[in-house]
Amino acid sequence: MHKHYYITTPIYYPSAKPHMGHAYSSIIADFFARFKRIDGYKVYFLTGTDEHGLKIQRAAKSKGIETLKFCDQISKTFKDLSKTLNLTNTDFIRTTEPRHKKSVQHLWNELVKNDDIYLSKYSGWYSVSDEAFYNEDEVEEIEGKKLSITSKSSVEWVDEESYFFRLSKWEKPLLDFYKKNPDFISPEPRKNEVINFVKSGLKDLSVSRKSLSWGIKVPNNKDHVIYVWLDALTNYISALNYPNNDDNLFKKFWPASIHLIGKDILRFHAVYWPAFLLAANIELPKKVYGHGWILSGDEKMSKSKGNILDPIKIIKEYGIDPLRYYLIKEVSFGNDGNISQERLEDCINSDLANNFGNLCQRVTAFTIKNCQSKVPIKIKFNKDDLDILDKYKNSLEEIRIKIDNQNINFYIDYIVNSLFEANKYFNDQEPWKKKDDLLRLNTIIFTSLEIIRKISFLLYPIIPDSSLKALKIFNLKEKDINLTSIGKNDFLTKGNNINKINILFNKIEKKND
Ligand code: MSP
């Protein structure tokens, strides 16, 4: 029986072109998806676009384009970006698709059936940019403008008939759930924020808008459209064809293993979403992880602040793998991270070109010259060889646990250390001085080749293309990569050919050198 893993990214607003913050969420999700796949899981990896609501309607209007056409155009740039980022998403959902609409309306009816929705009137603040309602104490006035204190986006006054979800009723069940499932919200500091918010008292939530047409209609009342967050969150189950289970997708993959999101949308995912699910008698996801922001200077990178680093431009200049590596390594996962082109170049030169690329080149060149381009056949490991090789087997279980706790920082440190040790091993063992002791020379080469193979497997979730290029040394393909085999010291077939490969990473001439 296969183990299943379901990972989701937030679905992005196609109000403007994607930026580095979006690329970040997606790359991290892809890292987990690939890791789990090479560890034998059947993975469902979902991403997509969140296309309803006032924000999108206004963005389309300001460009003078019909709303759906506008969504088609920008959603396509997100879909194209998935390819450019080399994502292995299983599905790309758009909330304007009929499959999604069906699920949302079904969920709505379930909430009505269970008496969790009632008609009343909403009077209060609304931020179109966040698509969020704010209480009076969450709003401040700066230079005559009303702003949300947390997001700094402007809010407007809304006074209209609205359906409400009985969120208040779920306050206690939510707190019980957090207690019973201490890993549900990660990382830890975010969990405390959410719990404090819920403890401070939940008010019923407005879940429909009357003054808006761009959305999914409330069943049985065409004057209202469903609140865009209730609509958007449902994507996580509509993609699995909820409530239909003919293809077993929902049964196999729900509850989600992890919803990966940015910390700014934690409340929606860790409070509203579980409350909707509880009310509809649907199991809750196993985890919601709120990652930090990519900063530009000290500010969150965002369209409205105009401080966007364009991922496409960076990829054109440096390639996708360096960007993936850089974001995964330099933005300490869970925290905010500042990124700069200079640091990216340092990463390419030191880690990728010097430590990984060079190791591959040196060892293959030596093997081609001194071992007839073959994986050595006669070998005899000594303690030095076994020390370095066995480390992988001994850390396999720890790596799995760390990844299940989203400890990407551990994973990348592990790789950086492994590369350091591998280079040190090759230098210290000095195979070039062992030409009169062929058994030793062959053993050092075999060990070095095995280490390159193991590290390339581990690098696959981070820099998939480069890892596959490196594995061409051994004629290994994507289907050959599996995590368990990093514990093996004799995975390579003795006597097999060793191939020369192209340079993996070109060094960057630093502009200020
Ligand atoms: N449409 C909603 C999500 C609905 S999920 C059911 C939304 N979209 S968004 O396009 O504004 O943001 C999508 C994700 O990108 C969020 O997780 C957000 O945190 C993330 N990022 C946006 N800017 C970011 C940075 N500068 N840095 C890192 N991630 C940030 O919210």
Side-chain angles (χ1 to χ4, degrees):
M1 245 252 315
H2 273 288
K3 303 173 279 183
H4 290 88
Y5 186 79
Y6 179 26
I7 183 162
T8 64
T9 72
I11 47 172
Y12 304 106
Y13 289 128
S15 53
K17 284 205 198 115
H19 62 68
M20 199 60 88
H22 304 133
Y24 181 67
S25 288
S26 292
I27 287 172
I28 298 288
D30 189 60
F31 164 82
F32 286 119
R34 287 180 189 265
F35 179 90
K36 284 292 178 179
R37 243 181 248 121
I38 65 169
D39 202 18
Y41 285 72
K42 276 252 180 290
V43 173
Y44 204 90
F45 169 17
L46 178 69
T47 187
T49 41
D50 179 0
E51 307 189 5
H52 291 132
L54 213 49
K55 181 174 167 122
I56 305 295
Q57 189 178 303
R58 285 188 187 166
K61 201 166 170 214
S62 75
K63 294 268 189 267
I65 306 176
E66 193 253 313
T67 322
L68 185 58
K69 258 206 190 115
F70 176 79
C71 289
D72 287 345
Q73 283 171 12
I74 304 200
S75 178
K76 184 170 178 309
T77 64
F78 277 94
K79 211 171 192 173
D80 293 346
L81 181 71
S82 317
K83 299 207 177 74
T84 315
L85 298 177
N86 202 2
L87 305 186
T88 51
N89 55 300
T90 329
D91 196 352
F92 185 102
I93 193 157
R94 299 182 55 188
T95 54
T96 44
E97 289 176 62
R99 61 168 171 161
H100 176 71
K101 181 175 159 194
K102 263 202 277 183
S103 285
V104 172
Q105 290 186 326
H106 183 90
L107 180 64
W108 178 279
N109 286 333
E110 289 295 294
L111 300 179
V112 171
K113 201 166 82 192
N114 298 342
D115 189 32
D116 270 288
I117 285 186
Y118 62 92
L119 189 60
S120 181
K121 188 174 172 230
Y122 179 76
S123 301
W125 297 107
Y126 190 77
S127 155
V128 177
S129 170
D130 305 342
E131 296 283 18
F133 300 96
Y134 287 112
N135 296 330
E136 197 60 54
D137 61 355
E138 293 175 303
V139 167
E140 63 185 348
E141 189 167 328
I142 294 180
E143 292 165 5
K145 272 183 109 185
K146 293 278 190 185
L147 305 176
S148 142
I149 296 174
T150 42
S151 70
K152 305 289 174 223
S153 62
S154 62
V155 294
E156 51 198 64
W157 187 256
V158 173
D159 218 339
E160 64 182 26
E161 183 185 80
S162 171
Y163 284 96
F164 279 77
F165 171 72
R166 291 187 202 283
L167 185 61
S168 55
K169 174 174 144 190
W170 297 101
E171 189 178 308
K172 170 98 181 29
L174 280 174
L175 289 170
D176 289 346
F177 179 79
Y178 302 145
K179 202 171 208 171
K180 272 204 208 110
N181 299 276
D183 289 338
F184 176 63
I185 306 166
S186 283
E188 194 73 16
R190 307 261 147 77
K191 172 164 119 182
N192 301 332
E193 281 165 31
V194 171
I195 293 181
N196 289 338
F197 171 75
V198 176
K199 274 190 180 153
S200 73
L202 292 178
K203 290 204 317 196
D204 289 352
L205 180 72
S206 165
V207 284
S208 78
R209 294 295 304 269
K210 214 176 168 181
S211 56
L212 165 75
S213 54
W214 183 241
I216 298 176
K217 299 259 182 286
V218 166
N220 304 321
N221 189 344
K222 306 286 177 247
D223 293 341
H224 286 252
V225 303
I226 296 174
Y227 174 39
V228 62
W229 271 100
L230 172 50
D231 164 346
L233 289 160
T234 308
N235 91 89
Y236 301 132
I237 54 176
S238 66
L240 302 180
N241 294 334
Y242 165 84
N244 181 339
N245 202 17
D246 294 350
D247 51 11
N248 263 338
L249 267 186
F250 188 68
K251 198 163 149 202
K252 277 189 200 146
F253 288 101
W254 192 258
S257 315
I258 179 166
H259 292 316
L260 189 72
I261 54 163
K263 63 181 182 179
D264 48 332
I265 54 173
L266 195 58
R267 191 182 292 182
F268 301 97
H269 284 80
V271 182
Y272 303 163
W273 179 227
F276 298 148
L277 292 171
L278 282 171
N281 282 316
I282 301 172
E283 249 186 285
L284 269 49
K286 297 202 184 96
K287 183 173 279 189
V288 173
Y289 192 103
H291 66 66
W293 287 336
I294 304 288
L295 304 177
S296 175
D298 282 334
E299 283 198 315
K300 179 181 176 223
M301 195 178 286
S302 75
K303 191 198 94 195
S304 44
K305 297 203 174 84
N307 56 1
I308 311 264
L309 244 184
D310 181 356
I312 306 285
K313 269 200 201 138
I314 298 277
I315 293 165
K316 270 205 181 117
E317 193 168 347
Y318 302 99
I320 176 60
D321 278 357
L323 176 67
R324 289 176 63 115
Y325 184 88
Y326 174 67
L327 289 175
I328 289 175
K329 179 173 177 222
E330 294 285 311
V331 181
S332 154
F333 192 57
N335 300 316
D336 294 348
N338 234 303
I339 58 171
S340 77
Q341 227 155 310
E342 202 190 332
R343 288 290 306 136
L344 169 64
E345 291 180 355
D346 287 345
C347 244
I348 298 175
N349 287 349
S350 64
D351 292 25
L352 296 176
N354 278 353
N355 292 349
F356 181 52
N358 246 354
L359 176 72
C360 294
Q361 294 299 338
R362 280 172 83 197
V363 175
T364 35
F366 192 90
T367 312
I368 289 167
K369 203 159 156 219
N370 299 287
C371 308
Q372 299 83 45
S373 305
K374 302 237 183 286
V375 178
I377 297 177
K378 275 195 89 173
I379 59 167
K380 189 166 186 287
F381 291 137
N382 70 15
K383 184 171 176 313
D384 288 349
D385 312 325
L386 287 174
D387 275 355
I388 189 161
L389 286 170
D390 285 346
K391 187 193 91 170
Y392 296 86
K393 182 169 63 204
N394 298 336
S395 12
L396 195 51
E397 219 26 60
E398 190 181 10
I399 291 175
R400 288 194 173 106
I401 293 169
K402 297 282 187 195
I403 291 300
D404 280 338
N405 290 311
Q406 290 71 48
N407 196 337
I408 299 186
N409 302 334
F410 169 89
Y411 191 82
I412 193 82
D413 284 350
Y414 184 86
I415 290 179
V416 171
N417 283 335
S418 301
L419 281 170
F420 174 80
E421 283 168 12
N423 278 299
K424 184 170 177 337
Y425 169 86
F426 193 69
N427 290 340
D428 290 356
Q429 296 296 325
E430 302 182 310
W432 48 90
K433 289 192 184 162
K434 304 283 172 357
K435 294 202 174 146
D436 49 2
D437 180 357
L438 281 185
L439 183 62
R440 187 65 205 136
L441 181 146
N442 282 338
T443 309
I444 297 167
I445 294 310
F446 185 91
T447 306
S448 303
L449 290 170
E450 267 297 356
I451 295 170
I452 291 178
R453 196 268 308 169
K454 287 171 194 248
I455 295 181
S456 301
F457 278 18
L458 285 173
L459 277 170
Y460 167 79
I462 306 178
I463 47 170
D465 273 355
S466 313
S467 146
L468 290 173
K469 272 189 207 152
L471 289 171
K472 282 195 179 141
I473 297 173
F474 316 104
N475 278 324
L476 291 172
K477 306 252 159 32
E478 197 162 21
K479 64 171 178 31
D480 301 314
I481 303 178
N482 74 72
L483 193 72
T484 306
S485 72
I486 73 150
K488 283 198 170 158
N489 295 342
D490 57 354
F491 180 86
L492 295 173
T493 309
K494 292 176 182 149
N496 265 12
N497 281 343
I498 288 297
N499 305 306
K500 185 173 162 33
I501 53 160
N502 295 332
I503 299 272
L504 290 175
F505 302 95
N506 288 313
K507 277 189 132 185
I508 313 283
E509 289 256 349
K510 299 261 318 225
K511 292 177 186 99
N512 51 355
D513 277 355

